[in-house]
Amino acid sequence: MASNSSASGPSSTPTAPAEKPSALPVNILPSPVARIYSIVHPALLLALCATRFEALVENPTKELLSTLPWLALIQISYAVICLPPAGSTPSTESSASSPAEGKTSPRLPSGPSGARHGKASKRKQHTNSWACIWSRLLPATLSLSLTFLMATPVLALLLVLFGAPLTTHNAETVLCAAHMAVLSATALIYAHGTDRGVWNEVWGIARPADAVWGGALGAGLGAWFGAIPIPLDWDRPWQAFPITILVGAYIGYALGSLLSRTPLLYGKRVQFTAEELGNKEKKTN
């Protein structure tokens, strides 16, 4: 009699390794300060671009260099105030920023002992708030350092590949790349670290929409459309490289970071990646 091998032991068919799930969209921290600053932040960037536009047209190199520290400060402030750092969980961030909803602190007894307990509690909360700020400042500083060291050379190379002058305007190219890198990469590195899966999605334009990815994608698209006026024969001083590219990146970042938080776009993905096209072809065959 033939024995049933499937009943006597486990199947020998190899199972495919489980794929690592994609990182979830980044949410703005729930504190009121974070909510307010996340709206003010794009306005600050547009105000910086608008107020320094005339100086940028007169002397692009000098103006790009002088405004770069202000841009870095605005982006670090945004990351520290509004975003959870890489490796944190929503529960720990919400508990660190504010007490849990629906729970009230125990009522302290009146008298000298109650006053001492109240002062100790306030001192402990003050210490925890400073520890929370420091825990965000350190990864923000590291993110900015990686942005200058890694993202700026990559974007400078991309600018050259897409038509920036190779033998002239080198300072303008590098400084424009630095501005675009601080705009797009600082928050990405702060929120996701060096997660390979996330960065594969970034380069494949496959991240789910959120304020961080929307701002980065908007900066890239804005710079792309900003390059359109450069070759046009209008003889305007603001058409010089890289003025329109930089202005487009600022406007695109502001629009992308705001629009990607709306219910219409939040969590959605761009639908033209190779993986999704392959899945569609399998379903149709």
Side-chain angles (χ1 to χ4, degrees):
M1 182 184 294
S3 60
N4 191 351
S5 59
S6 60
S8 61
S11 175
S12 60
T13 304
T15 58
E19 294 183 359
K20 185 179 178 181
S22 173
L24 297 175
V26 178
N27 288 316
I28 301 297
L29 293 176
S31 68
V33 175
R35 298 289 183 182
I36 294 173
Y37 188 75
S38 65
I39 303 298
V40 174
H41 170 249
L44 283 178
L45 291 174
L46 292 179
L48 177 65
C49 181
T51 55
R52 305 307 303 171
F53 181 75
E54 291 185 2
L56 179 65
V57 174
E58 292 179 3
N59 192 336
T61 303
K62 180 181 178 181
E63 191 59 31
L64 287 172
L65 188 60
S66 63
T67 55
L68 187 58
W70 293 105
L71 173 62
L73 179 62
I74 292 174
Q75 291 300 90
I76 283 186
S77 300
Y78 171 65
V80 171
I81 295 173
C82 300
L83 303 176
S88 64
T89 59
S91 58
T92 57
E93 284 298 321
S94 60
S95 62
S97 60
S98 61
E101 294 182 0
K103 295 183 180 179
T104 57
S105 58
R107 192 171 183 178
L108 295 175
S110 58
S113 60
R116 285 196 297 270
H117 283 297
K119 291 179 180 179
S121 176
K122 291 180 179 179
R123 191 180 301 113
K124 185 176 181 180
Q125 290 178 359
H126 184 70
T127 303
N128 289 338
S129 64
W130 276 110
C132 182
I133 292 174
W134 173 250
S135 67
R136 296 176 190 172
L137 273 176
L138 184 58
T141 305
L142 292 175
S143 301
L144 187 64
S145 301
L146 289 175
T147 296
F148 282 119
L149 292 175
M150 300 179 65
T152 299
V154 171
L155 288 176
L157 179 61
L158 288 176
L159 285 174
V160 172
L161 292 177
F162 281 102
L166 179 60
T167 57
T168 61
H169 299 79
N170 294 327
E172 289 90 337
T173 300
V174 172
L175 288 172
C176 180
H179 276 253
M180 292 176 58
V182 174
L183 278 174
S184 58
T186 304
L188 276 172
I189 299 174
Y190 177 84
H192 298 296
T194 56
D195 190 330
R196 183 178 178 182
V198 171
W199 287 99
N200 285 338
E201 290 180 340
V202 168
W203 290 110
I205 317 181
R207 283 291 303 154
D210 54 32
V212 176
W213 169 234
L217 183 59
L221 291 176
W224 177 281
F225 287 109
I228 294 176
I230 293 178
L232 301 179
D233 190 16
W234 293 345
D235 292 331
R236 296 291 188 272
W238 51 264
Q239 286 181 263
F241 173 82
I243 296 171
T244 57
I245 294 176
L246 192 68
V247 172
Y250 272 78
I251 296 174
Y253 178 90
L255 292 177
S257 62
L258 289 175
L259 293 177
S260 58
R261 294 172 54 190
T262 61
L264 182 63
L265 296 179
Y266 179 79
K268 305 293 179 61
R269 298 172 186 265
V270 180
Q271 296 292 324
F272 56 80
T273 61
E275 180 180 358
E276 289 168 344
L277 290 176
N279 291 336
K280 289 181 180 179
E281 290 178 358
K282 290 180 180 179
K283 290 180 181 179
T284 54
N285 292 336

